[in-house]
């Protein structure tokens, strides 16, 4: 049997299993139940946030035989759409089919009735890559679409789509998925794959994913290939050259304690992992920012990078001091552009932070 990557294996097959985007899911489900479908949708948002997945779920729902349970994932339409073999659901990658001839060919076929389902659904991915001529050809069809056709346009760069196209679509903006939702999804996959794991490893992967569920599963897949059946934080560090949250906290606590000896030892230990110093500097800024926010609010729901226990270890710093440290790190980050030796700049940057404590 051919191997399928994790993000394809665990792609949601129902609206309920989509991670995040609840505002979009609820709106689309209501429209389906009320039979108030638009003829054109524009799905915008960062990569890996569910645009194509939701487009396919919408295509299944409007063609599903079991109207009350759409998508049922049992009828012929649901199964063939899921397998990518349904003749009435056409996926087009505008990055490679962006010419006016390709779009005119598509439009020529739009007028024909569906072969099997109730609707013909055209999913155009990366629609912003279409040429000017192709946009104009598509615009004509969007102005006067046949009743049996639904267009779903997906893009990561909506500002490159013609305003006249956008105005004829219902626009849905997909947002980066919450880190905790991504962690839960990663844990579900690891349990399904019967792989043991450390919570810190899952947390690191969710941070690296930067709000993209697909990216999270791709990173996870690479880490599993490296670690086999027991995933821990060190494996993630080895592959991606990042410092753990505990490593970063040790650096900051050495600064707060005014302990230069420990600070230099920690810098030597962390940078010995061949980590990205720019990313590490940025991560330290993020931790200090969370500390400042928590100092003002005492609201743990606002924490993304740290647990409540971890942020309290930094709360020995007053908020004004934390803000000054962030300013210094921003200045250090800016100086990296012209630096020949990033490590020296990083060390000097952290030593400057001690002057605030």
């Amino acid at each position: 049997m051919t191997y399928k990557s994790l993000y394809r294996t665990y792609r949601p097959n129902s609206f309920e299993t989509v991670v995040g985007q609840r505002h979009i899911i609820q709106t689309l489900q209501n429209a389906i139940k009320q039979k108030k479908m638009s003829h054109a949708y524009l799905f915008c948002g960062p990569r890996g946030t569910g645009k194509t997945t939701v487009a396919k779920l919408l295509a299944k729902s409007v063609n599903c035989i079991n109207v009350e349970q759409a998508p049922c994932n049992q009828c012929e339409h649901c199964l063939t759409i899921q397998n990518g073999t349904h003749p009435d659901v056409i996926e087009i990658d505008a990055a490679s089919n962006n010419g006016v001839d390709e779009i005119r060919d598509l439009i020529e076929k739009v007028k024909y009735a569906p072969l099997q389902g109730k609707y013909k659904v055209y999913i155009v991915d990366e629609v912003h890559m279409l040429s000017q001529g192709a946009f104009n050809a598509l615009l004509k069809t969007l102005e006067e679409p046949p009743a049996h056709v639904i267009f779903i346009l997906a893009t990561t760069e909506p500002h490159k789509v013609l305003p006249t196209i956008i105005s004829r679509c219902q626009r849905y903006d997909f947002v980066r998925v919450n880190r905790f939702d991504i962690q839960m999804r990663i844990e579900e996959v690891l349990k399904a794959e019967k792989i043991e794991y450390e919570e810190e490893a899952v947390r690191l992967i969710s941070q690296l994913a930067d709000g993209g569920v697909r990216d999270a599963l791709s990173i996870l897949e690479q880490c599993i290939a490296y670690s086999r059946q027991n995933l821990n934080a060190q494996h993630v560090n080895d592959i991606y050259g990042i410092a753990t949250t505990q490593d970063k906290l040790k650096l900051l606590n050495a600064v707060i304690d005014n302990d230069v000896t420990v600070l230099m030892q920690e810098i030597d230990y962390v940078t010995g992992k061949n980590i990205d110093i720019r990313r590490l500097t940025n991560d330290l800024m993020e931790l200090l920012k969370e500390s400042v926010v928590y100092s003002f609010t005492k609201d743990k729901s606002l924490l993304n990078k740290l647990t409540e226990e971890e942020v309290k270890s930094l709360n020995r710093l007053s908020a004004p001091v934390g803000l000054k440290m962030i300013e210094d790190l921003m200045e250090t980050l800016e100086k990296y552009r012209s630096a020949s030796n990033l490590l020296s700049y990083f060390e000097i940057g952290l030593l400057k932070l001690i002057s605030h404590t």
Side-chain angles (χ1 to χ4, degrees):
M1 184 176 175
T2 307
Y3 174 75
K4 282 176 71 175
S5 59
L6 290 181
Y7 80 84
R8 291 178 61 205
T9 303
Y10 293 96
R11 172 171 272 169
N13 57 16
S14 69
F15 285 118
E16 289 70 28
T17 53
V18 174
V19 181
Q21 321 303 344
R22 298 322 302 172
H23 60 298
I24 293 173
I25 301 303
Q26 187 65 57
T27 307
L28 290 175
Q29 284 181 310
N30 291 342
I32 292 163
K33 287 176 184 175
Q34 297 167 20
K35 296 182 172 58
K36 293 182 178 179
M37 301 303 301
S38 173
H39 68 279
Y41 294 89
L42 180 65
F43 288 174
C44 317
R47 70 178 191 275
T49 50
K51 298 185 295 296
T52 306
T53 295
V54 173
K56 288 183 177 178
L57 290 174
L58 184 56
K60 283 200 287 186
S61 297
V62 297
N63 285 305
C64 183
I65 293 172
N66 301 309
V67 180
E68 296 300 317
Q69 300 174 2
C72 68
N73 293 312
Q74 295 176 348
C75 70
E76 181 185 358
H77 294 305
C78 283
L79 293 174
T80 51
I81 291 172
Q82 193 162 307
N83 295 332
T85 56
H86 198 290
D88 297 322
V89 178
I90 300 97
E91 289 188 65
I92 302 152
D93 180 10
S96 52
N97 298 288
N98 57 5
V100 67
D101 292 335
E102 288 93 339
I103 297 302
R104 281 179 179 160
D105 182 53
L106 176 155
I107 290 166
E108 183 64 28
K109 295 173 183 175
V110 162
K111 61 187 177 185
Y112 299 117
L115 294 173
Q116 291 181 10
K118 185 178 179 181
Y119 289 95
K120 291 180 83 168
V121 182
Y122 289 88
I123 301 171
V124 185
D125 201 14
E126 301 298 343
V127 69
H128 65 274
M129 298 288 283
L130 291 179
S131 66
Q132 185 70 36
F135 267 131
N136 290 334
L138 180 61
L139 180 60
K140 181 67 176 173
T141 302
L142 290 180
E143 285 175 339
E144 301 170 3
H148 60 262
V149 171
I150 294 175
F151 280 95
I152 305 174
L153 315 178
T155 178
T156 53
E157 301 185 55
H159 58 280
K160 292 185 179 179
V161 180
L162 284 182
T164 46
I165 294 279
I166 294 175
S167 68
R168 286 163 175 79
C169 301
Q170 276 193 18
R171 175 171 172 166
Y172 290 85
D173 287 285
F174 287 67
V175 296
R176 295 187 190 278
V177 180
N178 182 286
R179 182 171 64 85
F180 299 106
D181 289 338
I182 292 179
Q183 281 183 222
M184 287 175 62
R185 185 59 175 157
I186 292 171
E187 288 174 0
E188 286 172 7
V189 171
L190 285 166
K191 286 170 185 173
E193 294 287 317
K194 295 181 172 57
I195 293 171
E196 295 182 7
Y197 62 91
E198 283 182 359
E199 286 188 15
E200 180 65 15
V202 173
R203 183 160 67 152
L204 285 172
I205 292 171
S206 68
Q207 289 176 3
L208 284 168
D210 194 27
V213 181
R214 186 178 65 222
D215 284 0
L217 294 183
S218 296
I219 293 167
L220 176 63
E221 189 165 26
Q222 188 175 357
C223 292
I224 289 172
Y226 180 76
S227 66
R228 300 192 179 180
Q229 295 301 308
N230 193 345
L231 178 64
N232 60 49
Q234 189 58 50
H235 296 139
V236 184
N237 294 332
D238 290 345
I239 295 171
Y240 288 95
I242 60 172
T244 66
T245 302
Q246 294 308 312
D247 289 336
K248 297 165 198 168
L249 286 173
K250 286 177 182 176
L251 284 170
L252 291 175
N253 278 310
V255 169
I256 296 168
D257 293 335
N258 224 323
D259 194 329
V260 175
T261 302
V262 172
L263 176 63
M264 298 310 291
Q265 288 172 348
E266 290 299 329
I267 290 174
D268 188 53
Y269 171 73
V270 172
T271 55
K273 296 181 178 181
N274 195 31
I275 56 111
D276 183 334
I277 290 178
R278 288 184 179 86
R279 175 188 279 169
L280 176 56
T281 306
N282 196 67
D283 288 349
L284 293 176
M285 285 166 51
E286 287 290 326
L287 298 193
L288 286 170
K289 182 192 78 175
E290 295 226 327
S291 172
V292 170
V293 170
Y294 187 79
S295 292
F296 284 126
T297 65
K298 296 295 184 283
D299 185 352
K300 66 179 180 182
S301 68
L302 297 175
L303 299 175
N304 289 313
K305 308 288 186 185
L306 297 170
T307 64
E308 189 174 18
E309 184 180 339
E310 288 168 344
V311 81
K312 283 178 178 176
S313 73
L314 297 180
N315 265 183
R316 292 176 290 153
L317 283 175
S318 67
V321 170
L323 287 169
K324 286 179 183 176
M325 287 185 171
I326 292 171
E327 285 180 14
D328 279 356
L329 287 175
M330 289 172 67
E331 189 179 313
T332 301
L333 203 56
E334 186 67 27
K335 287 180 178 177
Y336 286 158
R337 293 183 181 182
S338 57
S340 57
N341 186 343
L342 292 187
L343 179 56
S344 290
Y345 273 77
F346 179 66
E347 290 172 336
I348 294 166
L350 290 190
L351 289 170
K352 279 181 69 178
L353 298 188
I354 290 180
S355 65
H356 296 303
T357 60

